[in-house]
Amino acid sequence: MKRRVRSSFAALLGCGFVVTNLTGCLLQGTVGGQTLPSAYYLQDDVQYFPAGPEFKLTNAVNAYDEYRAEQALIQEGFAP
């Protein structure tokens, strides 16, 4: 009977450990409504993504302008 209780306790403890690691409780904490960083935030790999253009169709407009310029050259008699 004791062996059964011990194995159940060990299984429950193991499941608790897995769930705790999956939820990130060990890496991040909440105190007083604030989410605090992990203790390893200084070693984190910081990624920087520069802001893109405001107008999302910049490449399309540039391609269309090049096409119009090329068509104007063709109409004038110059081959590209």
Side-chain angles (χ1 to χ4, degrees), residues 4-79:
R4 187 176 187 192
V5 171
R6 283 185 187 172
S7 64
S8 297
F9 180 75
L12 183 63
L13 187 63
C15 288
F17 182 75
V18 168
V19 168
T20 302
N21 283 333
L22 290 177
T23 59
C25 294
L26 297 176
L27 299 177
Q28 189 172 344
T30 304
V31 176
Q34 293 179 332
T35 302
L36 302 175
S38 71
Y40 306 104
Y41 73 96
L42 292 176
Q43 288 85 20
D44 283 345
D45 183 26
V46 178
Q47 296 180 358
Y48 172 72
F49 299 103
E54 282 280 324
F55 184 59
K56 299 297 181 187
L57 299 175
T58 304
N59 292 336
V61 171
N62 290 340
Y64 183 68
D65 289 340
E66 288 178 17
Y67 172 77
R68 289 181 64 193
E70 185 178 315
Q71 291 301 316
L73 286 176
I74 290 172
Q75 285 182 356
E76 292 176 7
F78 299 106

